[in-house]
Amino acid sequence: MKVKKLKYQLIIPTVIIVFILMSINILLVFQIQQNQAVNELKEKGLVLTQQLDSTWEFLSINQHRINTSAIGDFDFKGLNCSTAGMSIGVIFAEKNGYKIRYVNTNPRNSLNEPDPFEKEVLEELSNDTAIDSYWELVKEEGQRYFRYVTPMRIDETCLECHGEPAGEIDISGYAKEGMKIGDLAGAISITMPTDIQDQALIFNIFWQCMTFTLLIIGCVLAIYYFVTKRVTRPIEQLEAAVKQVGEGDLNVDLHNFDASEEIEDLAAHFDNMAKQLKELYSDLEHKVEQRTVELGKANEQLRIKQVQLEKVNFILKEDSQYKSDFLAMVSHELRTPLTAIIIFSEILLKKKAFEDSSEEQILCEIKENSEVLLYMINNILDLARIETGKNSLSIETVDLVDVINNVECVIRPLAQRHDIHLTARVERGVPLIQGDYEKVRRIIENLAGNAIKFTPLGGNVTIHASLAEDQHYVKITVQDNGIGISQENQAHIFEKFIQVDSSSSRQYNGSGLGLALAKELTELHGGVISVESDLNKGSTFIVLLPIERQ
């Protein structure tokens, strides 16, 4: 059944492709022939209007001769340009079904009153003097017509009846319109039926369809014959041989096999495969038993390795837990004496006078270094909590204006000591966010402190908050013009205990935890942190925090 379907899988796509090509060809032929028919009608309209223009011009030039008697007296015969043109149009229409009219928006004769189509064309011709003809295919009362309109403009021969002064009575008894040379006097409107062109087009399309139908039938018969003789019957034989092998009978003989070259090659390969299977089957059980023994040994080795790996993992987990517990304990125990040192330093600094001028400087150094050490210990403690999964968010409504103002108050003394210009700005429209106030503050404070540390004297550090392009996030940037970060180092700066300058004699002190902690706290909020930096030009750290808690 599947083999028989192959015939239809070849025939149906072929028929579809031929049908699509036939349809495209018919559409193209239809379009080309329709364009040709329109061009022929346009040519007819052009010739007719040129002939009528010539007649009109002849009568206009010879008006004096026509209206002058043999003795030279003026005798108006009533044979002016308009009368002659209308009469010629009527006679011409009676012979071939064409309608020829002279139309004007302000006609002297009601027979020259334009219809809606002609009014629209006259308006176009009046607005654009560059138009020398206008045509359109229309359908009226179930019949298609080709309408062709050309403008009639005033020349010198027309001024006698239509020129200035306006209101003066011309020779035909009508008041002059006061027109000037180049003004639109009216238009010649020709309406031609398209029956002959439509019938020829339908006839051609019919024969196109008949030709392609015969082509499709021929293709289907040819494919059916070829596929049946050279493909499907050999495949049915090959399918029977495959079924025989599948049932366990390997005595297959496909020598006398008549098919296309590709299928014959496939049959030959299948025949060789059957012979090889027959040879392999004789010692298959022995090989299976041998492989089973080997597999058992390999499984035993794997089990031993698994036990060893579990022991190593348990030891590593204990070591990791011990490290985290140790860091948390040490950090926690160190904070109490450091806090006391800072408080006592502040109390001593409040003294009104010092016995030695260096005492105040020493106390300031003690206080500053204690604060730095306490800051580092807090970072270590927070990272230890995050690693053990004990650090959670205290979600509340956070105003970034308050957070950045708080950070600015803490960081500004440090910036002033390093002669660094600090700027903090929150744009209007930055919404309140749902997050942990203290941890958001720690993120910005770590980034700002890091920027001040790596910015030389007299540099600039800017903290800026705005609404991100993605309206679901706020964007916080901390920018400096410090030493910058090379491209190869940017991939590692958010790792723990990593600084760009990691040599033993590096210029900048620090634990390398500030950026790592900022990254951990940002991701804890569901945000993203990134950096843009050029070496010796400065760095910009970008934090995106979600407005609503997911």
Side-chain angles (χ1 to χ4, degrees):
M1 190 66 182
K2 293 181 179 178
V3 176
K4 292 180 180 179
K5 287 182 179 179
L6 180 61
K7 302 175 186 177
Y8 305 108
Q9 291 175 357
L10 291 174
I11 291 172
I12 292 174
T14 303
V15 172
I16 292 174
I17 292 172
V18 174
F19 177 77
I20 292 173
L21 293 175
M22 179 188 74
S23 302
I24 294 173
N25 182 75
I26 290 174
L27 290 174
L28 290 175
V29 169
F30 175 81
Q31 188 65 38
I32 292 171
Q33 292 184 352
Q34 189 176 45
N35 291 337
Q36 289 176 347
V38 170
N39 290 332
E40 290 176 2
L41 292 170
K42 287 169 63 178
E43 187 67 25
K44 286 182 180 181
L46 178 62
V47 171
L48 284 175
T49 54
Q50 288 177 346
Q51 291 177 345
L52 292 170
D53 277 340
S54 299
T55 302
W56 189 288
E57 186 176 354
F58 174 80
L59 290 172
S60 178
I61 293 172
N62 292 280
Q63 276 293 298
H64 287 288
R65 184 179 297 178
I66 294 171
N67 296 321
T68 303
S69 64
I71 61 175
D73 295 333
F74 179 77
D75 183 15
F76 180 62
K77 306 290 192 305
L79 187 63
N80 57 12
C81 307
S82 176
T83 303
M86 291 172 60
S87 301
I88 292 172
V90 172
I91 296 170
F92 193 82
E94 289 176 353
K95 293 184 177 182
N96 54 26
Y98 287 17
K99 296 179 183 179
I100 300 177
R101 301 179 65 234
Y102 293 87
V103 296
N104 194 351
T105 53
N106 187 22
R108 293 181 174 183
N109 191 328
S110 60
L111 296 175
N112 301 120
E113 188 73 32
D115 60 20
F117 172 79
E118 292 164 341
K119 284 183 179 179
E120 184 178 346
V121 175
L122 285 170
E123 185 177 352
E124 290 285 339
L125 296 175
S126 177
N127 294 332
D128 190 352
T129 58
I131 300 176
D132 57 359
S133 64
Y134 189 95
W135 61 270
E136 187 174 337
L137 281 169
V138 299
K139 193 170 185 180
E140 298 175 359
E141 299 179 356
Q143 175 68 36
R144 290 207 324 154
Y145 293 95
F146 181 80
R147 303 203 65 174
Y148 188 85
V149 181
T150 58
M152 298 175 63
R153 301 195 181 275
I154 297 295
D155 57 18
E156 291 183 359
T157 60
C158 303
L159 295 177
E160 185 175 352
C161 295
H162 301 281
E164 295 177 337
E168 183 181 22
I169 304 301
D170 63 3
I171 59 173
S172 61
Y174 291 96
K176 294 183 179 181
E177 290 85 351
M179 294 184 179
K180 298 178 182 179
I181 294 176
D183 289 347
L184 182 66
I188 302 174
S189 175
I190 302 175
T191 303
M192 295 178 275
T194 63
D195 295 344
I196 297 175
Q197 288 79 7
D198 292 344
Q199 290 174 2
L201 187 59
I202 293 171
F203 181 77
N204 289 334
I205 297 301
F206 172 76
W207 278 110
Q208 287 280 338
C209 293
M210 290 296 296
T211 301
F212 278 100
T213 302
L214 293 174
L215 176 62
I216 290 175
I217 293 173
C219 290
V220 170
L221 292 176
I223 293 172
Y224 184 84
Y225 173 78
F226 174 78
V227 172
T228 300
K229 181 174 178 60
R230 303 291 292 173
V231 179
T232 57
R233 286 178 184 172
I235 290 179
E236 287 174 354
Q237 297 176 9
L238 189 58
E239 182 182 13
V242 172
K243 184 177 180 181
Q244 180 181 343
V245 172
E247 292 175 351
D249 185 2
L250 300 178
N251 297 314
V252 176
D253 187 7
L254 296 174
H255 287 297
N256 299 322
F257 193 80
D258 184 21
S260 62
E261 183 177 354
E262 294 82 359
I263 299 179
E264 285 184 354
D265 292 340
L266 178 62
H269 291 311
F270 181 79
D271 189 51
N272 292 332
M273 183 190 69
K275 291 179 180 179
Q276 293 175 5
L277 286 174
K278 190 174 181 180
E279 294 174 358
L280 292 173
Y281 187 76
S282 58
D283 61 337
L284 180 61
E285 292 182 356
H286 173 71
K287 289 183 178 181
V288 168
E289 183 179 355
Q290 184 180 357
R291 294 292 185 272
T292 302
V293 173
E294 293 175 356
L295 183 61
K297 293 179 180 179
N299 285 335
E300 180 62 22
Q301 293 293 327
L302 183 61
R303 189 187 64 78
I304 294 172
K305 296 294 183 183
Q306 183 178 3
V307 172
Q308 293 175 350
L309 184 60
E310 288 176 353
K311 291 180 180 178
V312 172
N313 284 336
F314 181 76
I315 294 171
L316 289 175
K317 188 180 293 185
E318 284 186 338
D319 290 344
S320 178
Q321 183 64 39
Y322 176 77
K323 179 204 70 174
S324 298
D325 293 343
F326 175 77
L327 288 175
M329 180 187 67
V330 171
S331 300
H332 184 269
E333 293 300 326
L334 286 175
R335 284 201 303 175
T336 301
L338 280 173
T339 303
I341 292 172
I342 293 170
I343 293 172
F344 290 144
S345 298
E346 291 177 347
I347 292 172
L348 292 173
L349 284 170
K350 291 179 180 179
K351 291 174 60 178
K352 298 298 181 178
F354 293 91
E355 297 178 358
D356 190 351
S357 59
S358 62
E359 288 183 5
E360 184 177 4
Q361 180 64 30
I362 293 172
L363 286 173
C364 288
E365 291 290 337
I366 293 172
K367 180 177 178 295
E368 289 177 7
N369 285 280
S370 299
E371 288 175 346
V372 170
L373 186 57
L374 180 60
Y375 178 74
M376 293 168 59
I377 290 172
N378 286 334
N379 285 347
I380 295 172
L381 186 58
D382 285 341
L383 283 174
R385 288 173 180 170
I386 291 173
E387 287 181 352
T388 57
K390 296 179 180 179
N391 202 351
S392 60
L393 298 177
S394 177
I395 301 299
E396 59 180 320
T397 300
V398 178
D399 188 347
L400 287 178
V401 176
D402 294 339
V403 176
I404 291 178
N405 286 340
N406 187 312
V407 172
E408 183 184 9
C409 292
V410 174
I411 296 297
R412 185 167 295 281
L414 179 61
Q416 290 174 348
R417 283 197 297 269
H418 291 80
D419 193 22
I420 292 174
H421 180 68
L422 176 65
T423 304
R425 182 166 60 91
V426 179
E427 290 187 0
R428 286 194 173 187
V430 174
L432 303 177
I433 67 172
Q434 296 297 315
D436 188 317
Y437 180 95
E438 180 59 26
K439 290 181 173 57
V440 172
R441 186 191 67 79
R442 291 292 298 280
I443 293 170
I444 303 172
E445 184 178 344
N446 278 347
L447 294 178
N450 198 67
I452 291 173
K453 180 168 64 175
F454 291 100
T455 300
L457 296 176
N460 296 294
V461 173
T462 302
I463 306 172
H464 178 250
S466 62
L467 185 63
E469 293 182 2
D470 183 345
Q471 302 292 312
H472 299 291
Y473 290 83
V474 292
K475 179 180 179 182
I476 303 169
T477 60
V478 178
Q479 184 177 16
D480 65 72
N481 58 350
I483 63 173
I485 306 167
S486 63
Q487 292 293 327
E488 58 270 19
N489 288 324
Q490 289 180 22
H492 308 291
I493 61 171
F494 292 107
E495 298 177 9
K496 301 178 185 67
F497 305 106
I498 294 294
Q499 282 193 355
V500 173
D501 180 9
S502 59
S503 63
S504 58
S505 60
R506 62 191 180 188
Q507 178 182 356
Y508 305 100
N509 295 322
S511 63
L513 293 177
L515 294 181
L517 181 60
K519 179 177 181 294
E520 296 288 350
L521 294 178
T522 300
E523 293 178 350
L524 197 61
H525 278 83
V528 179
I529 186 170
S530 60
V531 63
E532 298 174 357
S533 181
D534 291 320
L535 197 61
N536 299 322
K537 292 184 179 180
S539 305
T540 300
F541 287 85
I542 303 167
V543 176
L544 296 177
L545 294 178
I547 296 173
E548 297 292 337
R549 179 69 177 165
Q550 299 298 323

